Amino acid sequence: MNTDDLEGGEDDGYHAQGNRKYSPVGAQDRAVLEMASMDPGSSATASQSSIRKVRARTQGSMDSDGKAPDVAGGDNGPHREHKLELFGFDSLVNILGLKSMTQEQVLAPSSPRDNEVVSITGGDPTSSSVKMGTMMGVFVPCLQSILGIIYYIRFSWIIGMGGIADSLLLVSLCGLCTFLTGLSLSAIATNGAMKGGGPYYLIGRALGPEVGVSIGLCFFLGNAVAAALYVLGAVETFLKALPSAGFFTETSTKVNGSVSKPIQTISTHDLQIYGLVVTVILCIIVFGGVKMINRVAPVFLIPVLLSVLCIVIGIFMAKKDDPDTGITGLSADSFKDNWDSMYQNTNSDGIPDRDGKVYWNFNALVGLFFPAVTGIMAGSNRSASLKDTQRSIPVGTLSATLVTTLLYLVSVFLFGAVANREKLLTDRLLTATIAWPFPVVIRVGIILSTLGAALQSLTGAPRLLAAIANDDILPVLNCFRVADTNAPSWRPRWKFHHWLLSLLGALLCVVIMFLISWLFTVVSLALASLIYYYVSIKGKAGDWGDGFKSAYFQLALRSLRSLGAKQVHPKNWYPIPLIFCRPWGKLPENVPCHPKLADFANCMKKKGRGMSIFVNILDGDYHECAEDAKEACKQLDTYINYKNCEGVAEIVVATNMTEGFRGIVQTMGLGNLKPNIVVVRYPEIWRRENLKEIPTRFVGIINDCIVANKAVVIVKGLDEWPNEYQRQYGSIDLYWIVRDGGLMLLLSQLLLTKESFESCKIQVFCIAEEDSDAESLKADVKKFLYDLRLQAEVIVITIKSWDVEGGSQQDDSIEAFNDARKRVASYLEELKEAAKREGTPLMADGKAVVVDEQQVEKFLYTTLKLNTTILRYSRMAAVVLVSLPPPPINHPAYCYMEYMDLLVGNVQRLLMVRGYRRDVVTLFT
């Protein structure tokens, strides 16, 4: 990342949030979302920028104590000298950088291209939206939706028909089904950060936009229909308890043998009038926002819980034939008589009748009772209003499911023992009959439970529609798009149209629920199918990634067309390593590859599955070496099969290694099955064997990978790399210096999946400058890892000084530093003599170079300091991963190799990782 990509100097103004301070991000601030690194042109020498002006230290700038001054003047005031200049500037892991990494992928559907900028505006931290915890955000809504009218008016009848034994089986079966669904919901909800949209967001991001929109719209309509059902249940109970409240009167004739008499029934018109009024009132509450809903929800829930308590007290206080005939009190005889089932015919009111047209069995009871355990989505519908979705949704949903299931199981025993079977089958409101102290308590509980469930349905419906519209999949829903689904309290000025549509849907359903028949099942399925077909044909592509895309990678040839040429979403990103087998040419001729390279390649793939490409380059003319290349390919393929590595072998003939490698990184692979990581063994032999061409070749490989947008992994200590039978202990230590799109974090997780490393723990080290807010950086990194579901210990190391004279180093480190400095000085002197002798500019590696000796010395000390830090904290680590610094532009390759030798010295196993300009992990579900 170029330093020009982030503008604006330091500001004295800060916004406080908790105990931390953040500098405001203005409209002029920009950051390129390049998680990996910089182009070859963005090197350490490009240090004159608008954000910082870094000046190499000179002996003349030292103060009397031998330390360099801490600031350098500039147009924007004093600026700190950048201690990690070798790694670049704005690509460092810092608080602002982590904020850019945690923006949802929808904001940047594909990885930014070169020079592409994206605004990062933090807004006002003090104006945060209303957020709810587990209790009010998930548990209470789920409890209100699950515990409903079936418990009050149907549950005792179910026990009378099915008996205690079948009722226990029924509750356990339905509860288990709901619990397993809740576990699946929890698994998806904890698989990264979650935005608004509830089940639509979860399903859409997991299975793709077509499935998500189809189910989401049906779920939206289902919420509206459910609200109508709940409202009608509450109104009917109210009118039965208070018949005089009706405006219209209707009578029907009840025939009892040869005697017929008229009875008054509830008018359909009364149901519609009261239903419309109640629905409008509930929608007004929803329109008031989250604060209003949180105030009203306990008003509906607390009386319901009190009514359940009154039922339990009434059961324990009940006596024989008190308060009504058929009540036995808690009796062992009643329990024994009600144990077995008694399935039989009933009339339309559920009263046993030999001539009745309705026959009940266990399957029919499942259909009747199952709605009493649904409603677990009520909490996830509020995902945008939750403080911590990853914790609240699993804990709240599963807790509500377990609590209600336990209540149902206990109630089976209590109802089965308190009354005889005839009473259970004929008294529709047995709960009100036995309730203490008055039956009216239960009627109030029924009304408020149904109204509470209706409130939850109407609360989720507009949020669901807004989330679907905001994803811009269906153009016909663009009128329902909103600016910010996380706006405080769902402000009425922009949610009115979602609220109005939900209201109209609920009002329409109150009217049409009287027309319900089995045809609605067919209509629902047809509607979902039509929406799916419409979205797949007319909808815009959602850049979310989905589970189907993951399967396509396992069917490479058949699925290549489906994958296309676009970049894969981070959710579906797989490492496809390109293994450079003989980059330094110092293996025996009959050995096609280093014996441990295949073992390492397997460690970069989940469960060892995935494609690896092993390549070698033969120097020479293609026509002359074609047969040799075929034979070498066979040998390499035999080696791959022997090592049980899923991969392919490729041999390329080129005039030289450099041209061959450039051809490989440009053309190898097809579509999205191109390699994305280049794996190269570190040339530890270059100094011992006096191979002077290796530095140029090594730097060329890294620069070619940067230009080709490939990640790079340099393996040091490959000879000591463990195989699958050599179990490792200790830790996997990450020195996360450069934002690499999460590649280093991903590699560490892949290592943990291997038997050899599964006993290790992960430690993440972040390097902070001496005046950095280390605690803030640590907190942000921990939150970032938490959102990724990565378990790791975070350690922030504050570098106090980068001065060569400052600090006390170990003798061997000082000796290594002095030796490197002497070798570099001698090498530069040779370059100067050659340039003077030939009358040319300073030349190295076939090109002109510009060398700032003070900067070279500074870079040597930087790598020495990092090496000392690694040896101090990670000497016993199983493997160490560290960010790979880019080769500084216009620096000789020899100098870069000296930097690297100091960095890797005395570390047994080291992976130097450099990502590329895209994310490989995602925070979002």
Side-chain angles (χ1 to χ4, degrees):
M1 180 183 301
N2 294 328
T3 54
D4 293 336
D5 294 328
L6 188 61
E7 299 178 353
E10 297 177 356
D11 198 336
D12 293 332
Y14 286 88
H15 292 298
Q17 184 176 10
N19 294 324
R20 298 161 58 183
K21 294 182 178 179
Y22 292 93
S23 58
V25 181
Q28 75 279 6
D29 293 332
R30 301 178 299 160
V32 177
L33 292 182
E34 293 179 348
M35 296 299 99
S37 57
M38 307 163 293
D39 298 328
S42 58
S43 67
T45 59
S47 58
Q48 301 299 322
S49 64
S50 60
I51 184 171
R52 293 187 182 93
K53 295 183 178 175
V54 180
R55 185 174 58 193
R57 288 180 177 153
T58 60
Q59 296 297 329
S61 64
M62 300 288 181
D63 58 18
S64 58
D65 295 329
K67 295 184 179 180
D70 197 36
V71 298
D75 296 337
N76 296 329
H79 294 275
R80 294 176 289 108
E81 183 176 3
H82 209 293
K83 307 294 193 302
L84 294 170
E85 184 181 349
L86 176 61
F87 289 87
F89 298 106
D90 302 329
S91 57
L92 300 181
V93 174
N94 51 36
I95 297 173
L96 179 60
L98 288 171
K99 289 182 180 294
S100 71
M101 292 183 70
T102 54
Q103 300 298 314
E104 186 177 9
Q105 302 300 330
V106 173
L107 298 178
S110 60
S111 299
R113 298 177 175 84
D114 295 346
N115 301 322
E116 185 176 353
V117 297
V118 176
S119 296
I120 301 176
T121 56
D124 188 358
T126 60
S127 60
S128 59
S129 59
V130 177
K131 297 293 183 180
M132 295 180 290
T134 303
M135 177 62 70
M136 294 303 300
V138 181
F139 181 78
V140 170
C142 288
L143 201 63
Q144 284 185 310
S145 298
I146 297 173
L147 189 59
I149 193 171
I150 292 179
Y151 178 77
Y152 292 100
I153 67 175
R154 279 295 195 178
F155 196 56
S156 59
W157 183 91
I158 291 174
I159 298 170
M161 183 63 69
I164 297 175
D166 282 11
S167 297
L168 290 174
L169 178 62
L170 173 66
V171 172
S172 301
L173 179 64
C174 295
L176 178 62
C177 181
T178 306
F179 186 76
L180 293 177
T181 305
L183 286 179
S184 299
L185 172 67
S186 302
I188 301 176
T190 55
N191 191 28
M194 180 179 173
K195 292 289 186 179
Y200 157 73
Y201 185 91
L202 296 174
I203 296 172
R205 268 54 176 182
L207 300 179
E210 295 87 357
V211 178
V213 172
S214 302
I215 296 179
L217 287 179
C218 289
F219 201 77
F220 164 74
L221 296 176
N223 274 325
V225 173
L229 282 172
Y230 293 135
V231 169
L232 290 176
V235 171
E236 183 177 356
T237 304
F238 170 74
L239 292 176
K240 283 184 178 180
L242 194 62
S244 60
F247 299 102
F248 303 91
T249 58
E250 291 184 2
T251 59
S252 61
T253 303
K254 180 178 182 181
V255 179
N256 187 7
S258 60
V259 179
S260 61
K261 62 177 182 179
I263 60 173
Q264 185 175 350
T265 60
I266 299 175
S267 170
T268 301
H269 300 298
D270 287 336
L271 288 174
Q272 292 174 336
I273 292 174
Y274 277 101
L276 295 176
V277 172
V278 172
T279 303
V280 171
I281 294 175
L282 291 177
C283 285
I284 291 174
I285 295 174
V286 174
F287 188 73
V290 173
K291 288 185 178 180
M292 178 68 73
I293 295 172
N294 286 343
R295 294 191 185 102
V296 174
V299 176
F300 291 103
L301 180 62
I302 293 176
V304 173
L305 299 179
L306 291 178
S307 67
V308 174
L309 180 62
C310 292
I311 293 173
V312 175
I313 294 175
I315 290 175
F316 282 99
M317 296 182 62
K319 300 179 182 178
K320 187 174 179 60
D321 296 332
D322 181 22
D324 200 357
T325 304
I327 302 297
T328 63
L330 291 176
S331 168
D333 293 335
S334 298
F335 186 87
K336 183 178 180 181
D337 293 340
N338 294 329
W339 178 259
D340 295 324
S341 61
M342 187 177 290
Y343 297 113
Q344 54 191 302
N345 289 10
T346 67
N347 58 22
S348 59
D349 293 327
I351 305 300
D353 187 348
R354 291 183 178 181
D355 299 327
K357 297 181 179 180
V358 182
Y359 178 76
W360 293 91
N361 54 24
F362 184 79
N363 291 339
L365 291 185
V366 171
L368 175 63
F369 176 74
F370 192 79
V373 297
T374 59
I376 61 174
M377 294 294 184
S380 63
N381 284 341
R382 299 181 171 198
S383 55
S385 301
L386 297 176
K387 294 178 182 177
D388 188 351
T389 56
Q390 290 189 347
R391 180 181 183 276
S392 296
I393 290 179
V395 174
T397 303
L398 296 179
S399 298
T401 303
L402 292 175
V403 168
T404 51
T405 302
L406 181 62
L407 173 62
Y408 288 141
L409 290 174
V410 172
S411 298
V412 170
F413 291 102
L414 295 180
F415 285 129
V418 79
N420 59 32
R421 192 179 296 272
E422 181 181 1
K423 187 66 174 177
L424 293 174
L425 291 173
T426 57
D427 192 347
R428 292 284 295 274
L429 278 175
L430 178 63
T431 52
T433 302
I434 62 176
W436 178 90
F438 307 110
V440 70
V441 174
I442 301 306
R443 297 187 184 275
V444 173
I446 293 174
I447 294 173
L448 292 181
S449 69
T450 51
L451 291 180
L455 179 66
Q456 299 306 325
S457 296
L458 291 174
T459 300
R463 287 163 170 77
L464 192 58
L465 182 61
I468 297 173
N470 279 350
D471 282 332
D472 196 21
I473 301 301
L474 280 181
V476 297
L477 296 179
N478 284 344
C479 58
F480 299 107
R481 296 183 66 185
V482 297
D484 182 12
T485 54
N486 291 319
S489 304
W490 280 70
R491 298 190 185 277
R493 65 175 180 269
W494 59 262
K495 72 160 186 175
F496 176 76
H497 44 291
H498 306 96
W499 168 85
L500 182 60
L501 186 61
S502 303
L503 170 62
L504 294 177
L507 294 178
L508 180 62
C509 290
V510 168
V511 177
I512 69 172
M513 287 312 299
F514 301 99
L515 305 176
I516 288 181
S517 68
W518 62 271
L519 290 176
F520 269 76
T521 302
V522 179
V523 172
S524 299
L525 293 175
L527 178 62
S529 300
L530 288 175
I531 295 175
Y532 181 91
Y533 180 75
Y534 179 75
V535 173
S536 62
I537 299 300
K538 298 292 185 180
K540 298 180 181 179
D543 188 29
W544 304 334
D546 54 66
F548 300 124
K549 292 290 180 65
S550 300
Y552 294 157
F553 272 93
Q554 307 302 325
L555 306 171
L557 294 178
R558 292 178 57 187
S559 306
L560 189 59
R561 181 176 298 177
S562 299
L563 287 172
K566 293 182 179 180
Q567 288 185 335
V568 181
H569 190 275
K571 192 188 305 180
N572 304 125
W573 189 89
Y574 281 86
I576 304 178
L578 176 69
I579 314 296
F580 202 173
C581 297
R582 299 168 59 95
W584 320 126
K586 297 304 291 185
L587 292 175
E589 292 299 328
N590 59 344
V591 178
C593 185
H594 192 286
K596 292 295 183 71
L597 264 179
D599 294 328
F600 177 76
N602 281 331
C603 290
M604 298 181 66
K605 295 177 289 187
K606 188 175 182 180
K607 297 181 181 179
R609 305 192 63 181
M611 185 175 69
S612 298
I613 301 177
F614 291 77
V615 297
N616 265 335
I617 299 175
L618 294 183
D619 293 342
D621 182 79
Y622 175 70
H623 295 282
E624 297 177 358
C625 302
E627 293 300 322
D628 294 339
K630 293 179 181 178
E631 184 62 29
C633 188
K634 291 180 181 179
Q635 294 181 2
L636 186 56
D637 187 64
T638 302
Y639 162 80
I640 296 172
N641 294 331
Y642 172 75
K643 300 295 289 188
N644 294 321
C645 182
E646 293 187 359
V648 295
E650 294 289 347
I651 302 296
V652 175
V653 179
T655 55
N656 55 66
M657 197 282 301
T658 299
E659 294 300 324
F661 182 77
R662 287 176 179 172
I664 288 173
V665 295
Q666 292 181 72
T667 62
M668 188 66 67
L670 294 173
N672 274 319
L673 292 180
K674 289 184 177 180
N676 44 36
I677 301 178
V678 176
V679 178
V680 181
R681 178 168 55 96
Y682 185 76
E684 302 174 53
I685 61 173
W686 79 279
R687 193 187 310 282
R688 182 175 67 250
E689 302 287 341
N690 196 25
L691 301 175
K692 296 182 179 180
E693 74 279 3
I694 283 186
T696 303
R697 187 180 300 177
F698 182 72
V699 171
I701 289 175
I702 297 176
N703 283 331
D704 290 343
C705 291
I706 294 175
V707 172
N709 199 21
K710 308 287 186 185
V712 184
V713 176
I714 309 295
V715 187
K716 192 263 183 181
L718 190 60
D719 295 336
E720 305 298 328
W721 194 263
N723 58 36
E724 56 183 331
Y725 306 107
Q726 297 173 318
R727 186 173 294 272
Q728 302 297 304
Y729 300 92
S731 61
I732 299 174
D733 291 353
L734 281 66
Y735 286 81
W736 196 25
I737 303 172
V738 177
R739 301 198 309 272
D740 57 0
L743 178 59
M744 192 182 298
L745 299 172
L746 178 63
L747 291 178
S748 66
Q749 292 299 309
L750 292 175
L751 288 176
L752 283 184
T753 63
K754 310 305 173 187
E755 293 184 5
S756 52
F757 291 99
E758 63 182 2
S759 300
C760 299
K761 66 176 183 178
I762 294 179
Q763 296 184 136
V764 178
F765 294 84
C766 295
I767 309 296
E769 298 184 71
E770 55 186 341
D771 54 354
S772 297
D773 190 349
E775 290 301 320
S776 297
L777 177 58
K778 182 175 182 179
D780 281 351
V781 172
K782 290 179 69 174
K783 178 61 169 60
F784 180 73
L785 297 178
Y786 172 78
D787 288 338
L788 286 174
R789 296 198 309 162
L790 301 183
Q791 296 183 356
E793 181 182 359
V794 179
I795 302 171
V796 176
I797 301 173
T798 301
I799 305 300
K800 296 183 178 179
S801 173
W802 287 98
D803 298 326
V804 176
E805 291 80 8
S808 59
Q809 305 291 337
Q810 297 179 1
D811 294 339
D812 53 351
S813 299
I814 292 295
E815 183 179 357
F817 172 75
N818 290 330
D819 290 343
R821 185 163 54 178
K822 292 177 182 178
R823 288 192 298 267
V824 170
S826 175
Y827 174 78
L828 295 179
E829 188 63 30
E830 292 178 3
L831 293 183
K832 292 177 182 178
E833 291 178 359
K836 182 178 181 180
R837 182 174 58 253
E838 298 175 5
T840 60
L842 201 63
M843 301 289 293
D845 311 321
K847 61 181 180 180
V849 295
V850 178
V851 178
D852 184 338
E853 296 185 21
Q854 296 295 332
Q855 191 179 52
V856 171
E857 185 170 308
K858 177 182 177 181
F859 288 171
L860 287 172
Y861 187 73
T862 297
T863 53
L864 171 69
K865 188 69 175 181
L866 285 176
N867 176 261
T868 304
T869 303
I870 292 173
L871 294 178
R872 177 182 177 185
Y873 292 98
S874 306
R875 186 177 291 273
M876 303 303 295
V879 62
V880 176
L881 289 81
V882 66
S883 299
L884 174 68
I889 195 171
N890 294 331
H891 273 224
Y894 180 89
C895 296
Y896 184 74
M897 287 302 301
E898 290 288 356
Y899 306 154
M900 294 299 98
D901 276 356
L902 281 180
L903 178 61
V904 305
N906 298 322
V907 183
Q908 183 180 13
R909 298 191 195 103
L910 181 71
L911 304 181
M912 291 181 285
V913 180
R914 184 166 185 81
Y916 59 116
R917 292 182 291 274
R918 60 159 305 165
D919 292 344
V920 300
V921 295
T922 178
L923 302 183
F924 298 94
T925 301

